[in-house]
């Protein structure tokens, strides 16, 4: 018995010792420059929200510098890939919010409250440090196996949604309406794709339904309800092929397909609801990004160890090596999604002003979208000049918050902006909630 207790004590001692070592390593040095991600050396990295230059370590022990032309192509490619999901995701969020308002309250999407926004940097910090400890205590191959499986499934679902929209746009000229699904009639929509004239008329597609319900007496509870047709099946097959391609080769094109799909869906579906919530969220993550990039080595270590499509990458040697390029510039998805959901909120605010005040211009969306572009360019310039990891939110947050707020102050819309809500709460519900608390 004493032997067993002694062994347990030794094991606990080792755990404590390793935990202490992990803490010392985390905050000992934050200026590590030479890293590897997916077999790639990275010269200047912003952790999970990264803007970096990378070169394949298999070529040599030293980082091969990119040509000025290659750098220009890579940075322009990254900027374009960052702007595309923000622009289209913002417009899709307008349609999504309008649709969600027609749903029953129990089916409406979750809304982020100000309390959630305040807690988000804390939760993100705990998750980041938790991953750091996991990579420290367990082998990277085991942790990455679980993460890869998770992102493989999540990526296929995101890509299926993305490719379904592409197919709908392609076939929208002859796609059947909801009535036509049953009657077999075709409905001609306005042409919205440059390829639509090349596609012949197609018959009405059959609709399949997969649902999971439970029935107790006369009451039926629905847990899962999915309708799909040929376009969804085709989109799923294409997405699965991309997923297998990424799993086998980790090719940068497959990585970017996953990253763009993640960003587009996140910007469309995440709901800030109020401008104050967005200001709170971006302000908290502003300090989160600075601390974990400049104040510790945790984000850098996790990004080095994390093997998943959480970034967009573009080759700097594309002109020399084509699709077999190995020298990458990189931008983390957090630097796209976090400012992107605020840009989308500004577009929905513009839509609100158009409905209420009959305005015709998307002033705040255009200004915030331009602010994001300028902040991203500033991040790349500073990173390139100083050759050091830069927390992109350090530049993106002041730009994306400062410019629309200043514009609202000039135009006299500041009060209206902070009063706006995507889903206004009924005062009667607030009163009922307060009354229920008093009775408890």
């Amino acid at each position: 018995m004493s032997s067993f207790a002694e062994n347990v004590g030794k094991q606990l001692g080792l755990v404590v010792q390793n935990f202490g070592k992990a803490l010392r390593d985390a905050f000992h040095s934050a200026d590590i420059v030479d890293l590897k991600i997916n077999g790639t050396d990275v010269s200047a990295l912003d952790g999970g929200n990264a803007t970096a230059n990378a070169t394949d370590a298999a070529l040599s022990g030293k980082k091969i510098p990119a040509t000025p032309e290659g750098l220009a192509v890579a940075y322009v490619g990254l900027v374009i890939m960052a702007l595309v999901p923000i622009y289209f995701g913002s417009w899709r969020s307008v349609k999504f919010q309008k649709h969600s308002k027609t749903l029953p309250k129990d089916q409406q999407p979750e809304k982020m409250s100000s309390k959630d926004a305040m807690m988000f940097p804390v939760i993100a910090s705990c998750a980041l440090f938790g991953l750091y400890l996991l990579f420290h205590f367990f082998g990277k191959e085991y942790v990455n196996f679980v993460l890869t499986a998770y992102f493989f499934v999540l990526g296929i679902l995101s890509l299926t949604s993305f490719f379904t929209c592409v197919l709908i746009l392609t076939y929208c000229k002859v796609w059947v309406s909801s009535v036509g699904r049953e009657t077999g009639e075709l409905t001609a929509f306005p042409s919205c794709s440059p390829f639509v004239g090349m596609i012949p008329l197609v018959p009405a597609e059959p609709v399949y339904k997969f649902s999971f319900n439970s029935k107790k007496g006369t009451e039926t509870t629905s847990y899962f309800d999915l309708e799909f047709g040929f376009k969804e099946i085709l989109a799923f097959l294409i997405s699965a092929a991309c997923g297998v391609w990424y799993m086998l080769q980790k090719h940068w094109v497959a990585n970017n397909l996953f990253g763009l799909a993640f960003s587009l869906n996140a910007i469309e579906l995440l709901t800030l609801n109020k401008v104050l919530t967005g200001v709170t969220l971006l302000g908290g993550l502003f300090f989160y990004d600075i601390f974990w990039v400049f104040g510790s080595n945790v984000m850098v270590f996790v990004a080095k160890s994390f093997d998943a499509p959480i970034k967009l990458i573009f080759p700097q040697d594309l002109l020399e090596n084509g699709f077999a390029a190995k020298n990458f510039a990189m931008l983390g998805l957090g630097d796209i999604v976090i400012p992107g959901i605020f840009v989308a909120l500004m577009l929905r605010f513009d839509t609100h002003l158009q409905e209420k005040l009959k305005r015709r211009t998307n002033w705040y969306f255009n200004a915030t979208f331009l602010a994001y572009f300028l902040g991203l360019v500033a991040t790349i310039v500073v990173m390139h000049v100083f050759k050091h990891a830069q927390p992109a939110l350090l530049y993106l947050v002041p730009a994306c918050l400062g410019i629309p707020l200043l514009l609202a102050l000039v135009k006299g819309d500041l009060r209206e902006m902070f009063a706006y809500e995507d889903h206004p709460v009924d005062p009667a519900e607030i009163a009922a909630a307060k009354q229920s608390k008093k009775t408890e």
Side-chain angles (χ1 to χ4, degrees):
M1 190 70 176
S2 59
S3 173
F4 174 76
E6 185 177 341
N7 289 333
V8 171
K10 287 182 179 179
Q11 294 300 323
L12 288 175
L14 287 175
V15 169
V16 173
Q17 182 180 356
N18 290 334
F19 184 76
K21 181 178 182 300
L23 287 176
R24 289 194 300 273
D25 292 343
F27 298 97
H28 178 261
S29 175
D31 56 356
I32 293 179
V33 176
D34 294 323
L35 308 170
K36 284 186 182 179
I37 294 182
N38 297 338
T40 305
D41 280 354
V42 180
S43 63
L45 179 64
D46 170 20
N49 301 324
T51 303
N53 297 322
T55 187
D56 191 14
L59 297 178
S60 68
K62 298 169 62 178
K63 185 178 79 70
I64 300 176
T67 63
E69 295 83 2
L71 278 174
V73 170
Y75 289 146
V76 169
L78 277 182
V79 170
I80 292 174
M81 285 195 297
L83 295 177
V84 165
I86 291 179
Y87 182 84
F88 289 102
S90 297
W91 283 103
R92 288 181 61 178
S93 76
V94 174
K95 295 182 179 180
F96 175 75
Q97 292 300 328
K98 287 183 178 179
H99 171 69
S100 65
K101 291 178 181 179
T102 65
L103 299 174
K105 289 187 178 181
D106 59 340
Q107 297 181 17
Q108 290 187 357
E110 291 281 342
K111 300 180 289 289
M112 182 179 292
S113 65
S114 297
K115 183 180 179 181
D116 296 331
M118 286 188 287
M119 289 300 299
F120 192 89
V122 177
I123 296 172
S125 297
C126 293
L128 179 68
F129 195 69
L131 282 172
Y132 173 81
L133 293 178
L134 281 176
F135 282 122
H136 243 86
F137 283 105
F138 300 96
K140 296 178 184 179
E141 61 276 10
Y142 301 114
V143 179
N144 278 319
F145 175 79
V146 177
L147 293 174
T148 300
Y150 171 75
F151 278 99
F152 174 75
V153 175
L154 192 64
I156 289 179
L157 295 177
S158 296
L159 270 180
T160 300
S161 174
F162 172 75
F163 283 128
T164 299
C165 293
V166 172
L167 292 173
I168 289 175
L169 287 177
T170 304
Y171 286 96
C172 65
K173 183 177 180 181
V174 293
W175 210 258
V176 294
S177 65
S178 57
V179 177
R181 287 181 182 273
E182 298 179 359
T183 63
E185 298 174 357
L186 295 179
T187 301
F189 292 165
S191 177
C192 59
S193 169
F195 308 104
V196 83
M198 302 167 57
I199 300 172
L201 291 177
V202 295
E205 60 162 349
V207 177
Y208 305 95
K209 187 173 183 178
F210 178 74
S211 59
F212 179 66
N213 305 318
S214 66
K215 190 173 182 180
K216 186 176 181 180
T218 58
E219 184 179 348
T220 301
T221 304
S222 177
Y223 298 102
F224 185 80
D225 195 1
L226 177 66
E227 287 189 2
F228 57 94
F230 287 149
K231 63 182 183 297
E232 286 85 4
I233 296 174
L234 180 58
F236 176 78
L237 293 176
I238 296 173
S239 303
C242 292
V244 173
W245 181 25
Y246 175 78
M247 288 278 287
L248 295 178
Q249 297 190 1
K250 300 294 175 71
H251 197 276
W252 63 273
V253 174
N255 175 92
N256 289 343
L257 286 174
F258 276 129
L260 289 171
F262 287 147
S263 301
L264 186 66
N265 284 289
I267 294 171
E268 175 189 0
L269 301 177
L270 292 179
T271 304
L272 289 174
N273 197 45
K274 296 193 292 187
V275 172
L276 181 60
T277 305
V279 172
T280 305
L281 176 67
L282 267 68
L285 290 176
F286 172 79
F287 294 103
Y288 160 89
D289 215 23
I290 293 174
F291 173 76
W292 289 113
V293 172
F294 289 146
S296 79
N297 189 41
V298 172
M299 186 176 283
V300 172
F301 179 84
V302 171
K304 176 181 70 173
S305 307
F306 206 98
D307 188 7
I310 59 169
K311 57 193 176 294
L312 296 179
I313 56 179
F314 201 92
Q316 298 174 346
D317 54 343
L318 180 67
L319 301 177
E320 294 84 4
N321 299 322
F323 284 99
K326 297 293 183 181
N327 188 6
F328 297 108
M330 181 168 71
L331 180 70
L333 297 188
D335 298 329
I336 301 172
V337 173
I338 298 302
I341 57 177
F342 189 79
V343 176
L345 179 63
M346 289 295 98
L347 179 58
R348 298 196 296 274
F349 176 61
D350 276 321
T351 305
H352 164 74
L353 293 178
Q354 290 169 8
E355 295 172 352
K356 183 177 180 180
L357 304 178
K358 307 302 180 184
R359 294 185 182 176
R360 297 184 177 181
T361 307
N362 296 317
W363 279 102
Y364 295 101
F365 170 70
N366 294 333
T368 314
F369 190 75
L370 177 62
Y372 176 83
F373 169 75
L374 296 176
L376 187 58
V377 170
T379 305
I380 292 174
V381 169
V382 173
M383 185 275 298
H384 185 70
V385 170
F386 290 97
K387 308 293 184 185
H388 192 276
Q390 297 297 318
L393 295 182
L394 174 64
Y395 308 94
L396 293 174
V397 169
C400 291
L401 290 183
I403 290 182
L405 292 178
L406 180 61
L407 180 61
L409 183 64
V410 172
K411 292 177 67 65
D413 292 332
L414 200 59
R415 184 185 297 273
E416 183 73 22
M417 176 180 282
F418 278 92
Y420 168 74
E421 293 184 58
D422 281 328
H423 298 269
V425 180
D426 189 352
E429 292 183 7
I430 299 177
K434 290 182 178 178
Q435 186 64 30
S436 63
K437 286 184 179 180
K438 287 181 181 178
T439 55
E440 290 176 359

